[in-house]
Structure formats: C-alpha cells, structure tokens
Amino acid sequence: MEESLLEVEVAGLKMRNPIILASGILGSYASSLNRISEHAGAVISKSVGVEEVEGYKNPVVVNYSHGIINAIGLSSPGAVKFAEELKAYKGSAPLIVSVFGSSPEDFVEVISHFPFASAFELNLSCPHSEKYGLTVGSDPDLVKEIVKNAKKATNKPVFAKISANVDVVEVGKAVEEGGADGIVAINTVKGMRIDIFTKKAILSNISGGVSGSAIKPIAIKCVWDLYEELEIPIIGSGGATTWRDIIEFMLAGASAVEVGSVMYYSLRAIYSLKESLIAYARMVNCKLEELIGAAHG
C-alpha cells in the first residue's frame, strides 16, 4: 500500500507515518486521543506531574497572525487520576505520555503510573512554568540526571523535549549522555503580547510560549544542529503546519515531526497532512525515511 511509503521507526517505536500529535493539544482525554490516532503516526498526552496543578487564570491563550501564544501553566489532574483516564485509550497509534517534574524523583514517580504507555516524553522545556519545564531543562547536569533516572524507571523509549531558549547542542549532549532514546526539538519559544488600549500584557502570566508557523525556522535550525552533533534520533517540533514543513524537518534530520497549533484550525489536519505526504512520496518515488538528514549531504 502507498501508506507504507510513510512508515518510520524511532528508537524501536514503529509508526505508520511520521506525524505525531504534540503534547497539550487534544491530549487531556482518551476519547480525543482515540480519534486523532486514526491517522497519526503516534499521539502524545497532555503533560502530567505527580500532583494536580491548577495552572494560570484566564486569559491563557492568545491568537495572532502567525500562531498562538499560551501560558496555561502545565495544568494537569495529577498522575494517579490521569492514568485512570488514559487507560481508556484504545487508539491504533502508539501512545506517548508526556511527563514533567521538578526533580529526577518526580519523573520516576510519574512514569511508574503509566506502564501501558508506548513511550515517554520528558517535558524539559515548557517556558511558562515556575518549577518545571525549562526551569529544570536549562541545567545540563540536571537534565542528564533526569534522563538517566527516567531510563532506569522504564523499559519503554524515553524522549526528552528541549527548548530553543538554551544552548541546544549542550543540552542535547546531556540528553544523549543520560541515555535517552531520542530528543525532541523544540517546545514553544518565550513571547508575549500587550494590549495597546489597556496598556497591559494580555496573558495573565504576562509571558507565554509562542507556537505556530512563526517558530518553524528556529526549530529547523535546532534540528539541523542536533543532527550534526548527536547519534540519537530527533523528533522535530515547532511550527509544522503543512506537508512541506514535515519534509523540511526530515531533510534537516528529524525522524518524525510533532504537530500542534495546526490542530486548532482543523481536526482533520493530520489526515490532510498524511494524504499530501503520500502524494509527495509517490511523486518522488521513495520512502520518507530515506529523506532523514538528506540536506546534510
């Protein structure tokens, strides 16, 4: 079948196509993940920590011409409650559980509640949380320790999602030295909007994370740099909204690509991306896996 042209494998995780639903987008409930899994190569849950996190007060999301800025604050129901919700996942694509914490021990504890997950994504990069995400992900030594402990806690693939707001190669090497099965680049980028009439920041948290097409060139460069320096697989993330973007990420070195903001505009986005990729692969007469890193010569 033509869909076989899209098959990729990342750290032993077999996917029917390289399109992954990014964390935080339709990932709070098993029902929505089940629906998205019909066409995705894999789906990632909303990030979850040990305890329930309330998050920030509204407004937490701002749309603008080139994407979205959000400062939700890693709100989540806590590991025990969320594990019960995700047990209802019956989708046809691998389920990757996104995990956050403020210490290596936090990550280990959360992972222990999800033995049914296909893989784990360590959130080391959320730019708008006081104790988590980028707060721990900017310290290479701590990153290495978190990854090392997470690997000991599970026999499933572990991917670390890093930020563009750090030295990506330095942190990337810490991820690799910690034993991660792969690295995800990038998360949202720090940004903010100001209301010119009220003269105040629009988001309740003042700043948030910028996603959407505006950050794609930044993400592409990060993937390129990591591919030049690391041996572990890379999952691209940040601004992929068209099939051309996915191809560009793969040429830069990504084995798969997460999509997020585009889902705000169409729940059929992954289906459309998949169909376009089939047409492209048929036109160039090759499997997409052959494109990984091809721009490096």
Side-chain angles (χ1 to χ4, degrees), residues 6-270:
L6 308 187
E7 293 175 352
V8 296
E9 185 173 329
V10 185
L13 199 65
K14 295 182 179 179
M15 296 184 284
R16 60 188 170 211
N17 63 61
I19 309 167
I20 301 175
L21 175 71
S23 176
I25 309 295
L26 298 170
S28 297
Y29 299 98
S31 57
S32 57
L33 289 169
N34 284 333
R35 178 178 177 182
I36 299 301
S37 77
E38 293 177 11
H39 300 293
V43 295
I44 306 178
S45 74
K46 180 175 178 56
S47 292
V48 62
V50 176
E51 304 292 342
E52 180 178 357
V53 176
E54 184 177 347
Y56 300 123
K57 296 179 180 179
N58 285 321
V60 294
V61 177
V62 179
N63 283 299
Y64 77 112
S65 56
H66 298 292
I68 295 168
I69 308 176
N70 89 86
I72 295 172
L74 286 177
S75 61
S76 76
V80 173
K81 187 175 180 180
F82 198 43
E84 288 302 312
E85 172 63 33
L86 291 189
K87 285 177 183 177
Y89 178 73
K90 305 298 180 185
S92 56
L95 170 65
I96 302 171
V97 174
S98 177
V99 179
F100 69 82
S102 60
S103 68
E105 294 74 23
D106 282 353
F107 285 88
V108 169
E109 182 174 347
V110 177
I111 286 171
S112 71
H113 292 287
F114 298 90
F116 51 85
S118 301
F120 293 93
E121 180 179 88
L122 310 181
N123 186 338
L124 304 176
S125 46
C126 176
H128 51 77
S129 181
E130 291 182 2
K131 299 187 297 180
Y132 312 112
L134 185 56
T135 302
V136 296
S138 58
D139 180 343
D141 292 332
L142 182 54
V143 165
K144 183 177 178 179
E145 192 66 21
I146 288 170
V147 172
K148 188 181 296 185
N149 279 268
K151 279 297 296 176
K152 292 177 181 178
T154 179
N155 59 0
K156 308 291 180 61
V158 171
F159 307 117
K161 190 168 191 174
I162 68 170
S163 171
N165 293 120
V166 299
D167 182 327
V168 293
V169 171
E170 181 183 19
V171 173
K173 287 182 176 179
V175 167
E176 186 170 64
E177 290 168 6
D181 299 283
I183 189 165
V184 184
I186 55 177
N187 208 319
T188 55
V189 177
K190 290 181 179 180
M192 66 179 291
R193 292 291 305 276
I194 298 172
D195 187 306
I196 62 172
F197 297 105
T198 65
K199 303 180 183 66
K200 296 183 182 297
I202 296 175
L203 294 170
S204 67
N205 189 56
I206 300 178
S207 71
V210 181
S211 61
S213 59
I215 70 168
K216 191 194 73 173
I218 300 170
I220 293 290
K221 176 67 166 112
C222 290
V223 169
W224 177 281
D225 290 347
L226 291 168
Y227 188 82
E228 290 277 313
E229 299 290 339
L230 305 185
E231 298 296 326
I232 56 176
I234 303 162
I235 297 174
S237 177
T241 58
T242 72
W243 65 270
R244 292 179 179 86
D245 296 334
I246 292 172
I247 297 300
E248 188 176 356
F249 267 108
M250 297 186 78
L251 291 171
S255 297
V257 182
E258 295 183 10
V259 298
S261 296
V262 68
M263 301 299 294
Y264 279 101
Y265 306 111
S266 172
L267 292 177
R268 289 176 57 81
I270 290 179

